[in-house]
Amino acid sequence: VQLQASGGGLVQPGGSLRLSCEASGFDLDYHAIGWFRQAPGKEREGIAVIASDRSTYYPPSVKGRFTVSRDGGHTVSLQMNTLEPEDTAIYYCATGINLKAAYYRDAGIKVSQFTSWGQGTLVTVSS
């Protein structure tokens, strides 16, 4: 199982960025993909999840600004709009057992739900 996040960079406040997660060694039709971020000095935070049935969940901190999607093949994207300086962090994608969006709505997106992680990509939101 391998995951590789890419697409990070420097963007101005209010701008947009699209991250990609390239997955290999497993079938996306049977696994969920989660996106997390970790800012300096803070805990890793779950910000989006897409289940194998393509149901999605976002916490309030990013809902309405971020969109996770499967692009076909083995790629999952995270479109981030209206970025704020508080969105500055290293962003990671991860895979875990295939839970539906309703589960994450009740339990939240947690590190413990995901078993394999890719290296992160840095997103910096600054003027």
Side-chain angles (χ1 to χ4, degrees):
V1 173
Q2 286 191 325
L3 297 154
Q4 181 63 54
S6 63
L10 173 64
V11 61
Q12 292 187 340
S16 298
L17 209 58
R18 188 177 183 88
L19 305 183
S20 294
C21 177
E22 188 70 24
S24 61
F26 65 100
D27 192 338
L28 285 175
D29 287 340
Y30 298 98
H31 290 80
I33 295 291
W35 282 95
F36 290 77
R37 66 185 180 187
Q38 189 164 20
K42 294 189 177 181
E43 292 187 353
R44 194 166 294 191
E45 172 192 17
I47 56 170
V49 64
I50 184 166
S52 64
D53 65 355
R54 308 197 184 211
S55 59
T56 58
Y57 171 74
Y58 311 89
S61 59
V62 305
K63 189 175 182 180
R65 300 190 298 124
F66 290 11
T67 303
V68 60
S69 61
R70 282 178 56 179
D71 297 340
H74 296 88
T75 303
V76 175
S77 294
L78 182 69
Q79 177 67 40
M80 306 186 296
N81 298 327
T82 320
L83 284 162
E84 305 165 351
E86 293 74 23
D87 296 316
T88 295
I90 298 175
Y91 284 68
Y92 302 87
C93 59
T95 188
I97 59 174
N98 188 31
L99 302 170
K100 299 295 177 65
Y103 174 87
Y104 298 105
R105 282 197 295 270
D106 294 337
I109 307 171
K110 299 179 181 178
V111 170
S112 59
Q113 299 160 345
F114 295 84
T115 55
S116 297
W117 295 78
Q119 291 186 339
T121 185
L122 176 63
V123 173
T124 303
V125 184
S126 175
S127 55

